[in-house]
Structures are given as structure tokens and as C-alpha cells.
Amino acid sequence: MEHTSTWLINSFIYLSAAVIAVPLSKALGLGTIIGYLAAGIAIGPWGLGFVTNVQDILHFAEFGVVLMLFLVGLELEPKRLWSLRRPIFGWGGLQVLGCAVLIGGVAMACGVNWRIATVAGLGLALSSTAIALQTLNERHLMPTKSGQAALSILLFQDVAAIPILALLPLLGVISMTNEAVSPVNHAVEAIKVIAVIAGIILGGRLLMRPLFRWIARSNTPEIFTAASLLLVIGTAALMQWVGLSMALGAFLAGVLLAESEYRRALETDLEPFKGLLLGLFFIAVGMSIDFGVLRESPGWMALIVLGFLTVKGLMIFAVARAMKLPFQERPVFTLLLTQGGEFAFVVFQAAVGAHVLPAQTASLLLGAVAVSMLVSPLLLVAVDRFLLPRYARLRKTKLPEISEPQDAPILIAGFGRYGQIVARMMLAQGVPCTLLDHDADMIEAAHSFGYRVFYGDATRVDLLRTAGAGTARILVVAVDDVAQSLKIVAIAREHFPQLQIVARARDMTHWNQLRDLQVTRVEREVFESSLRSGRCVLELMGHSETSAQEITARFREHNLALIEQMYPFHQDRAKLIAVAKQGRQTLEAQMAQERALRAGSVKPE
């Protein structure tokens, strides 16, 4: 054994602990995160003592969080991220500042120094991105309203971590012998930050697609995987070099590649690494829990954990109410954001270096964060077993879930304002449909009108199979979320190739993406209603009903032909604009000639 490499022994220990603890935790109904944390406690310094270099492992395992944020970024196109700017900076800012003020205020009321209270409030206001996103993905909650709200707040927390770290030196006790920092140094650091962010954006826009296209042509999958990892590692290293969040940089790189044709390949290549490294991160968190501090000050530890979880939970629940999240989603949303976060480790350790926190206080706070990360999954199990069933009983109707296989020839995913019309038309013709939606309030409203809509996430293969996708003839994708719509179509194409797909497109970008997935029956959601409104305007302007109908029909025919002409060039913006302009000019000339003919100013030959 003395000749066996240390990394080989440690790998054997980590994998063995995970293989034993995680399936056991799942079998007990406690989830995977608790299994990883328990494995870390068992092999760490306060367990069997197999591993002692906890901090080194924790730093390496943080790359799992980085990979996870990169994959989350791949699911968000820049337009969609821009549409989330208000919840990110609005609700995210309210959560961080509100929690920091409340926690810091309670600490000061208990006699804690204002500097220590401020740092404690800011650090404890942050949440665990790893636990929250892992839980949302496991429960298929990411497409829901609460999932998007949680993602927005977590993204703001990653951004907020930067000014929090910048604030620490200002709060520190500065010795008279310390040299003042030159304004030139501040300017150089700011230029470095701007240059790195600009480099990531420009590189993602201009260089990444050609690079991946060149690598893909080599037909060597392992090199494509290596390039994927190189991209994430390089981005993370650049962000860390300028003192920014590695996870935030990886997320930004993911967003910039969300519209690329290599998005699915990147997800497939990186998903296994993300899972393993996230597991290692949770094991490292379990190992990092300092049971010595817990043993020496159990009362203070319990008071800090209970106090900040209560105060933070009340604030987040208030934010959930203000955001008007669905009633039954608020407990899980609150709990996922209430526990301390991995970035608190960085904040409190930096605060010790800046002479803001005494080492003993930092140990207590770090222990409280680690304990909260251990307790939160347990509380989540309790919420599932005891609280959510009570919420369900408070509802007038129980949400119907698919328990038996369905056999209707038509499967409709999404029973909102679009899917309802399609379903009502089919049902009026006596054609049975299986209806799916994940909005509990919508399902309850539909039930009150006599419609049977099943509760479930249509991006789950098992649920689609139970809903009858394996035998159905037609799948109508009527969900309003673009990413979810594309995911449903991709899953249907892979697992249920016999399905004919009719899809709703939110806009032309979405229309093109659906066509890329070989969906030919795509309807833009407001196209026909806009045409009817235009026809009404023509009639109000003096056109006869027949004339208005003819003009509208001609415009419709031209537009449908034009988008087919534009489709082959939808990834070439310059060519796309040229085709669109030419089509518009042709239509205007044709319409002008017809107007002249009707007016009698031009005599037909």
C-alpha cells in the first residue's frame, strides 16, 4: 500500500463512501444530497478520519458548482436572460438586502458589534446554489414559476458576492503601518475586470462557434469533450484571476452558447462531470463541518442556526408572496433559499483576513452555515411528508396525477390560453385527448369547468410514456416556455418517433428552433389573431368586408411563403435581413399595383 498513489487512495475512499451512502439515503427517502453529506461526515476528520485535507478538496469540488451554472446558462438564451433582468435585480436585490438587514439588525439588537453583524448578515443572506439547483432539477421544478424565481435570486446572489467581498476591507481594522492602496491599483483592477468580461462575451459570440465547428469536423468525440471542459475551466480561471465568481463566469459562457448548434452536445458531454463533482462538493461540505466548535458551543451554534434560518425564512416567504408564486410552491421555494450558501465560506474566511471577524466567531458562523446545509435537505423531506399534504388538503380539489397508462390518440402538453382552444376543438368533435400541465392553479380552474387535466412535467420521459406518448398519434406542444417547449420536442423526437408534432411558436426565433428539430407544423401564437385585427382596421378605414378579406388573405399567403424563404438563412443575420427586406419590397410593390388597378389608374393589358 505504501506504493499506492495518494490520489488513488482518496478516489477509492470518496467513491466507496458515495456508493454506500447515497443509495442508502435514497432508499430511506432522504434524497441524494443527504447521502453525500453523510458520506463526508463519515470519512472526514470528525468521523473515521480517512481524509484530513478538507479545504483542498472543497476548492477542487467547487468546480462542480461551476459546471452546473454553465449547464444552467446553456438553457437560457440571451433574450430570455434579458427578460429576467427585473426578477434578477428586483426580487434578488430585495432578498439579499432584506435578509442582510434583518439578520444584521437582530444580531445588533443582541449586542453584537455592528461590523460583525453586517458581515454576518451579508454572508448568511446568501444561499446554496448547489443544493437549490440540484433539488430543482431532481424535482423537475426548473420550468415552474418558483423554479425561475429561485434561479433569478441565485444569479443575483452570485453577482452580489462581488461587492460583498469588496466591502470587507472597508470594514476591517486598518493598522497605521498598512500602506494605503493607490487609486491607480483600483483603476487597474477595474480595467482587468471589464476586459475579462468583455473578452468572455466577445469570445463567446465570435470565436466559440467556429472553434467548436472546427473541432467537430475532426470526428473525435473525446477532443470535443476536452474542449468543453477547457472552455469552462478557462472561463472560471479568468474570472478567479480578476477576483470574480467562477460560477458567474461559467454561467455567462453558457448563456453565450445557448443559441449555438452545439448546445445539446455540450450538455451531454459535461453532465457526468457535473454530477460527480457536485457529489464531491457535498462530500467536502460534510467533511468541513467542525464538530469541535459544535461540541464546545452547542448552545450558541443552535441559536445561530435557528435564528438565521427563522429570520431568513420569514423574509423569503414574504418575497414569495410578493412575487405571487403558486400557493403550493412557496414552502419548497422558501426552504431552498433559506439555508446558508457555499459562498459564505469565502466571505467569512475573507473577513477574518480583513480583521473584521475574530477567528472564533468565523468558526461559529462557518459551522452554522455547514449545519444549515445539512439540515435543509432533512427539512425538505419533512415538508414533503407533512406540510405539502396539508396544503393539498386545503385545496378544493386534489391535483390529478397520471397513475395509469393513457391511450388517447392526442396528447396536449400545456393547457393555458393556447392549449385550451385546441383541446376544446378536439373534445367538441368527440376526439379524446390526454391533457398535461404543471400549473396547479390552472389545473384547479380547469377542473371547475369540467376538464380533466393531469398534473405533471411534460419534459419527463416516464410521465410522457404513462400519458400514452408511445401509442398516441399526435403531440400538441402548447406550453408557453420556449426552453421547455424545445426540450419536450427533442425528447419526443428521440423516444417517441412515431408522434406527429404540432407546436406553438412564441416568435420567429422559436419558430426557427422548432423547424431545426424537424417540426413542420408550427403555428405562431399571435399570427392569426393579428391578421384578424389588421382586417378589422382595414374595414374601419373604409375597405369593404370582401376587400379586407382579400388583402388579409394575400398578406397571409405572402408572409407564410416569406418565412419559408428566410428559414435557411436564420443563422446568417445579414442574409436573413436581406431576404426579409426584399420580401417586404415585393409585397409593397404588389399591393400598390393592386390598389392602382382597383382605382382604375392603371389599365390592365
Side-chain angles (χ1 to χ4, degrees), residues 554-584:
R554 188 66 57 83
F555 180 88
R556 181 181 186 277
E557 180 183 356
H558 172 84
N559 187 268
L560 293 177
L562 179 61
I563 63 174
E564 292 292 345
Q565 294 173 20
M566 292 167 59
Y567 170 65
F569 311 107
H570 73 276
Q571 293 185 348
D572 185 341
R573 183 173 176 80
K575 184 67 174 176
L576 183 74
I577 293 174
V579 174
K581 286 182 176 179
Q582 180 62 41
R584 186 181 67 187

Side-chain angles (χ1 to χ4, degrees), residues 472-546:
R473 293 175 52 194
I474 300 168
L475 168 64
V476 180
V477 182
V479 296
D480 59 359
D481 183 271
V482 174
Q484 189 181 20
S485 164
L486 297 173
K487 191 171 184 180
I488 293 170
V489 170
I491 290 172
R493 283 286 183 233
E494 180 179 354
H495 296 278
F496 312 105
Q498 91 289 350
L499 282 173
Q500 300 179 74
I501 298 177
V502 178
R504 160 195 186 179
R506 193 172 186 87
D507 50 31
M508 280 306 303
T509 301
H510 189 198
W511 187 92
N512 288 323
Q513 291 170 327
L514 288 167
R515 290 296 304 271
D516 286 343
L517 293 171
Q518 286 77 51
V519 181
T520 56
R521 295 176 178 86
V522 186
E523 296 294 337
R524 288 172 285 168
E525 60 182 26
V526 297
F527 180 59
E528 299 293 344
S529 58
S530 299
L531 289 175
R532 288 185 175 85
S533 295
R535 189 180 69 192
C536 292
V537 173
L538 289 172
E539 292 174 3
L540 291 172
M541 289 297 293
H543 286 263
S544 67
E545 183 177 345
T546 302

Side-chain angles (χ1 to χ4, degrees), residues 275-491:
L276 283 173
L277 288 171
L278 265 183
L280 183 59
F281 172 78
F282 291 129
I283 290 174
V285 169
M287 290 190 295
S288 69
I289 297 177
D290 191 343
F291 287 93
V293 175
L294 186 60
R295 183 181 58 197
E296 292 173 6
S297 309
W300 278 112
M301 181 66 72
L303 188 62
I304 293 172
V305 173
L306 183 62
F308 98 79
L309 287 181
T310 301
V311 173
K312 191 175 178 183
L314 290 173
M315 180 64 197
I316 293 173
F317 192 81
V319 170
R321 289 191 62 182
M323 296 178 76
K324 298 181 180 179
L325 296 183
F327 185 65
Q328 76 285 352
E329 295 179 10
R330 293 175 190 173
V332 174
F333 171 82
T334 300
L335 195 53
L336 287 179
L337 296 179
T338 296
Q339 87 281 347
E342 48 273 356
F343 213 88
F345 292 100
V346 179
V347 171
F348 293 143
Q349 288 169 352
V352 173
H355 307 292
V356 182
L357 287 182
Q360 182 67 17
T361 304
S363 296
L364 276 172
L365 292 174
L366 290 170
V369 170
V371 170
S372 75
M373 295 172 75
L374 175 64
V375 169
S376 287
L378 292 170
L379 292 177
L380 198 58
V381 173
V383 166
D384 286 339
R385 292 184 180 179
F386 304 111
L387 185 59
L388 291 185
R390 291 176 62 111
Y391 269 51
R393 286 195 294 270
L394 289 174
R395 289 184 161 271
K396 296 179 181 178
T397 60
K398 184 179 179 181
L399 296 179
E401 297 182 352
I402 295 183
S403 56
E404 297 180 357
Q406 304 296 305
D407 57 2
I410 299 176
L411 175 60
I412 300 179
F415 196 70
R417 54 194 173 90
Y418 193 98
Q420 285 179 24
I421 302 299
V422 180
R424 288 167 60 188
M425 285 182 63
M426 297 304 103
L427 295 173
Q429 294 299 313
V431 181
C433 303
T434 299
L435 310 175
L436 296 176
D437 204 290
H438 60 72
D439 188 326
D441 293 327
M442 174 62 72
I443 292 173
E444 187 171 304
H447 179 82
S448 65
F449 284 93
Y451 294 102
R452 190 186 185 198
V453 184
F454 292 106
Y455 178 77
D457 178 7
T459 61
R460 288 172 47 190
V461 178
D462 59 331
L463 186 139
L464 285 175
R465 186 169 285 113
T466 306
T471 56
R473 293 175 52 194
I474 300 168
L475 168 64
V476 180
V477 182
V479 296
D480 59 359
D481 183 271
V482 174
Q484 189 181 20
S485 164
L486 297 173
K487 191 171 184 180
I488 293 170
V489 170
I491 290 172

Side-chain angles (χ1 to χ4, degrees), residues 126-150:
L126 305 177
S127 310
S128 173
T129 301
I131 291 177
L133 293 187
Q134 178 80 355
T135 304
L136 288 171
N137 286 324
E138 284 182 356
R139 293 166 174 254
H140 304 284
L141 294 175
M142 190 62 79
T144 65
K145 191 173 181 180
S146 62
Q148 293 299 295

